[in-house]
Amino acid sequence: MRHRDSDEGTEGAHAERAPSGGAAQVDLNLLRTFLAVYRTGSFTAAARLLGLSQPTVTTQIRTLERQLDRELFQRLARGVAPAPYADELASRIVEPLDALAGVTGPGGPADVHPAEPVHLAGPAELLTHRVMPTLAPLVDKGVRLRITPGLTEPLLEELRSGRYDLVLSTYRPRGRALASVPLVDEEFVLVSAPSWAERVGGPARIAADGAAALHGVPLVAYAEDVPIVRRYWRHVFGKRLVRHPAVTMPDLNAVKAAVAGGTGFSVLPRYLCAAELASGALVLLHDPDDPPINTAFLVQRPGSSGNPHVALVRDHLLEMVREW
């Protein structure tokens, strides 16, 4: 993306060109803007993140490209993609710039300007049963948290636009704009109330007859397209699920409550129903050697490490998963 617009002569008149391929003598503000665009994959999202206008961000990237004599981004139909040199430059500057931002923050030293709240989002069940019980040490350290439940796809879009700092994602985001690390594996289990387990012949019959043993048992699901149950059927029984749910509720806690109340059967994350399985309120209908597993990822908002508490929350979550 080499720009040679008519206004570039004025912009570049006072810009000092760095040696080819180097970032020496480059204004730190230009590098901060570059890193924001690199992380967000969008001039518009970077502008929102930095509190600048989109034309200002565009101008700064053009100036940096002239100073480095390198192409940094290629325009796409939606956003931008980093050119090869952008990956190299980002790897060289990300740690020092993030460390500097952690010291100074957006408005001055941290002891003068307290850190902003950390905005964390993810699936309601994972937040409720795994994250929320672990937050006391963070709050005791003065961390302020704003936590939002939601579905992964829209949450990741809002992460890119700067609304959130961290998102717990049910899948790894595609592309290089968002940084993600595996957080925890969720095992899915087939469960019902004891009354239904007895009527269908228990785990022994399901082990022998497979999915056919559940014919006539009402299905309780998270959504009409039953994504969790469909995956279980395909992975464990090797069949396509062709039935419709009797009850749907976009809340796995509500699904669990309905099943425990005797409504029918469902597939749930093991962590969500571990207490009910231990107490006997729910029965494990099948125990395959290779149960379906889904990995949750911790995804970081581009540029969010300017708030030192974001790293504190991220590191805390990565530490706590050892006990989950």
Side-chain angles (χ1 to χ4, degrees), residues 118-124 126-127 131 145-152 154-156 158-159 163-170 183 297-299 313 317:
V118 176
H119 293 265
L120 170 67
L126 191 57
L127 291 171
V131 175
L145 295 161
R146 302 294 181 264
I147 299 175
T148 304
L151 299 176
T152 290
L155 290 181
L156 290 178
E158 292 173 327
L159 179 71
R163 180 172 180 180
Y164 302 115
D165 298 303
L166 297 165
V167 164
L168 304 176
S169 172
T170 55
L183 184 66
F297 292 85
L298 181 60
V299 189
V313 174
L317 292 176

Side-chain angles (χ1 to χ4, degrees), residues 1-5 8 11 30 33-34 37-38 41-44 46 54-86 89:
M1 182 186 70
R2 303 313 309 274
H3 304 280
R4 290 292 180 261
D5 295 345
E8 286 191 354
E11 293 169 7
L30 300 184
T33 299
F34 159 77
V37 174
Y38 182 85
S42 164
F43 284 8
T44 302
Q54 191 270 337
T56 297
V57 169
T58 301
T59 297
Q60 289 186 357
I61 294 299
R62 289 174 176 172
T63 301
L64 183 59
E65 287 184 319
R66 286 197 307 273
Q67 291 186 8
L68 298 177
D69 195 26
R70 296 278 189 166
E71 180 183 46
L72 295 175
F73 298 103
Q74 298 173 342
R75 288 188 180 275
L76 305 175
R78 185 176 181 182
V80 295
Y85 180 70
L89 178 61

Side-chain angles (χ1 to χ4, degrees), residues 221-242:
Y222 180 88
E224 192 68 34
D225 61 346
V226 291
I228 298 174
V229 186
R230 280 192 292 107
R231 179 175 178 184
Y232 191 96
W233 247 240
R234 184 174 61 251
H235 183 91
V236 174
F237 298 128
K239 296 182 178 180
R240 179 173 175 266
L241 183 70
V242 294

Side-chain angles (χ1 to χ4, degrees), residues 218-227 229 243-252 254-256 258 263 265-266:
L219 168 60
V220 185
Y222 180 88
E224 192 68 34
D225 61 346
V226 291
V229 186
R243 61 190 301 171
H244 298 287
V247 178
T248 65
M249 175 66 180
D251 181 332
L252 288 179
V255 172
K256 178 181 69 174
T263 303
F265 78 94
S266 192

Side-chain angles (χ1 to χ4, degrees), residues 1-323:
M1 182 186 70
R2 303 313 309 274
H3 304 280
R4 290 292 180 261
D5 295 345
S6 59
D7 59 347
E8 286 191 354
T10 302
E11 293 169 7
H14 304 290
E16 186 170 4
R17 181 183 295 271
S20 177
Q25 303 177 6
V26 173
D27 188 334
L28 281 178
N29 288 325
L30 300 184
L31 294 179
R32 290 190 183 99
T33 299
F34 159 77
L35 196 56
V37 174
Y38 182 85
R39 284 169 156 169
T40 61
S42 164
F43 284 8
T44 302
R48 188 180 301 115
L49 186 66
L50 296 169
L52 300 174
S53 69
Q54 191 270 337
T56 297
V57 169
T58 301
T59 297
Q60 289 186 357
I61 294 299
R62 289 174 176 172
T63 301
L64 183 59
E65 287 184 319
R66 286 197 307 273
Q67 291 186 8
L68 298 177
D69 195 26
R70 296 278 189 166
E71 180 183 46
L72 295 175
F73 298 103
Q74 298 173 342
R75 288 188 180 275
L76 305 175
R78 185 176 181 182
V80 295
Y85 180 70
D87 293 325
E88 177 189 342
L89 178 61
S91 69
R92 289 161 50 197
I93 69 173
V94 61
E95 289 189 11
L97 282 188
D98 283 352
L100 182 61
V103 172
T104 63
D111 57 349
V112 177
H113 298 275
E116 292 294 317
V118 176
H119 293 265
L120 170 67
E125 298 78 19
L126 191 57
L127 291 171
T128 301
H129 292 268
R130 287 295 191 234
V131 175
M132 298 301 289
T134 75
L135 298 180
L138 292 174
V139 177
D140 191 50
K141 293 178 181 179
V143 176
R144 293 185 293 157
L145 295 161
R146 302 294 181 264
I147 299 175
T148 304
L151 299 176
T152 290
E153 187 170 349
L155 290 181
L156 290 178
E157 285 299 314
E158 292 173 327
L159 179 71
R160 291 185 179 95
S161 69
R163 180 172 180 180
Y164 302 115
D165 298 303
L166 297 165
V167 164
L168 304 176
S169 172
T170 55
Y171 57 84
R172 185 191 293 275
R174 285 174 288 184
R176 295 175 294 182
L178 297 176
S180 63
V181 293
L183 184 66
V184 64
D185 287 335
E186 301 174 319
E187 177 189 344
F188 292 112
V189 292
L190 181 66
V191 296
S192 76
S195 58
W196 274 113
E198 183 178 355
R199 288 171 65 177
V200 302
R205 184 181 171 206
I206 294 176
D209 297 344
L214 292 171
H215 180 73
V217 183
L219 168 60
V220 185
Y222 180 88
E224 192 68 34
D225 61 346
V226 291
I228 298 174
V229 186
R230 280 192 292 107
R231 179 175 178 184
Y232 191 96
W233 247 240
R234 184 174 61 251
H235 183 91
V236 174
F237 298 128
K239 296 182 178 180
R240 179 173 175 266
L241 183 70
V242 294
R243 61 190 301 171
H244 298 287
V247 178
T248 65
M249 175 66 180
D251 181 332
L252 288 179
N253 285 300
V255 172
K256 178 181 69 174
V259 173
T263 303
F265 78 94
S266 192
V267 175
L268 296 169
R270 182 182 284 274
Y271 76 82
L272 187 66
C273 57
E276 288 77 11
L277 288 172
S279 70
L282 289 175
V283 173
L284 183 67
L285 293 176
H286 195 36
D287 189 18
D289 293 334
D290 180 26
I293 298 290
N294 187 67
T295 301
F297 292 85
L298 181 60
V299 189
Q300 186 161 359
R301 187 190 99 183
S304 62
S305 50
N307 178 353
H309 284 177
V310 173
L312 196 63
V313 174
R314 179 197 64 214
D315 294 345
H316 176 79
L317 292 176
L318 292 175
E319 178 68 25
M320 292 308 300
V321 296
R322 301 177 184 178
E323 302 176 13

